[in-house]
Amino acid sequence: MGSATSENRGTAGGRTPLTDAAETGLKIVVVGGFGVGKTTLVRSVSEIRPLNTEEVMTQAGVGVDDTGGLTAKTTTTVAFDFGRISLNDRMVLYLFGAPGQERFWFLWDRLFSGTLGAVVLVDTRRMDDSWYAIDRLEHHRTPFVVAVNRFDGDLARHPLDEIRRALALPDHVPLIDCDARVRASGKNVLVTLVDHLYQQALAQESAS
């Protein structure tokens, strides 16, 4: 936890200017249930100070937002998070973290506009919250990967093959573990997504 925190602070403090050589900007959306760690993931990987719309949770959300299993959560995203990460000298990812509460789902279709791919973040404590994200991405025919945010580091409790079956994920959809607090882990999720997009593009090219 301590190493992850110090790494995140270094990321936020050491803002990186966008290189003049960058020529490819890819829009990526991070979706998932309420409290799954979307804001944390965007913050941990962003090389600029991320824009976020987090607000303190109030009594107005009681009985509306399902906070089961999230006793320590005190803030929530009410619009979207935004960050940026350069994968190399020429490829830049623009990250948009979508709000997880059902009352903000109407924003998702707008966020999906122009999106090349998506990350579905999953919390094994609240697996059912992932269904809507997967359904909307499939509806929009947006390629995605699924990342299981291991808050407690327990990989044995719910192995990936068990999670794949529970979510009815096809074999071609990448499913990986991550820790949204750790920059290297979050970056690995994004690299996995870009690789997935590349493989899909090659398959489409071969089929045409």
Side-chain angles (χ1 to χ4, degrees):
M1 183 75 170
S3 59
T5 303
S6 62
E7 188 172 6
N8 292 351
R9 285 176 180 166
T11 302
R15 294 189 291 277
T16 305
L18 185 60
T19 173
D20 292 338
E23 60 184 31
T24 304
L26 309 178
K27 179 182 177 183
I28 302 298
V29 174
V30 182
V31 294
F34 178 45
V36 74
K38 300 180 295 296
T39 297
T40 301
L41 178 64
V42 172
R43 281 178 177 169
S44 70
V45 300
S46 181
E47 62 194 14
I48 62 172
R49 187 179 300 279
L51 166 69
N52 64 69
T53 55
E54 277 203 312
E55 298 292 343
V56 175
M57 295 173 64
T58 67
Q59 288 297 315
V62 176
V64 178
D65 299 330
D66 179 10
T67 58
L70 303 173
T71 54
K73 187 169 178 60
T74 58
T75 62
T76 184
T77 299
V78 296
F80 63 87
D81 304 305
F82 174 77
R84 187 193 79 204
I85 181 172
S86 299
L87 289 187
N88 53 45
D89 287 342
R90 297 186 177 276
M91 185 178 296
V92 177
L93 301 186
Y94 297 102
L95 309 175
F96 292 82
Q101 305 99 302
E102 184 174 352
R103 58 194 169 111
F104 294 126
W105 283 353
F106 71 93
L107 296 171
W108 285 25
D109 286 348
R110 289 184 177 274
L111 281 177
F112 288 165
S113 177
T115 296
L116 188 65
V119 173
V120 178
L121 209 54
V122 172
D123 180 351
T124 56
R125 299 170 302 180
R126 299 161 61 90
M127 198 100 72
D128 289 347
D129 290 355
S130 309
W131 282 109
Y132 182 77
I134 293 172
D135 177 72
R136 296 314 299 164
L137 290 169
E138 290 178 340
H139 173 77
H140 285 273
R141 297 184 179 178
T142 302
F144 64 94
V145 300
V146 177
V148 183
N149 191 9
R150 301 289 190 175
F151 292 91
D152 55 7
D154 185 359
L155 303 180
R157 188 179 304 162
H158 297 287
L160 288 180
D161 57 348
E162 179 182 305
I163 294 173
R164 182 177 292 277
R165 289 194 300 271
L167 295 177
L169 284 181
D171 290 339
H172 72 272
V173 176
L175 173 66
I176 62 174
D177 289 310
C178 77
D179 185 333
R181 301 166 297 181
V182 180
R183 176 176 170 81
S185 183
K187 188 172 182 179
N188 181 56
V189 172
L190 299 176
V191 169
T192 301
L193 174 59
V194 171
D195 285 345
H196 179 52
L197 296 175
Y198 179 68
Q199 293 302 322
Q200 284 209 329
L202 287 179
Q204 291 173 1
E205 186 177 320
S206 299
S208 61

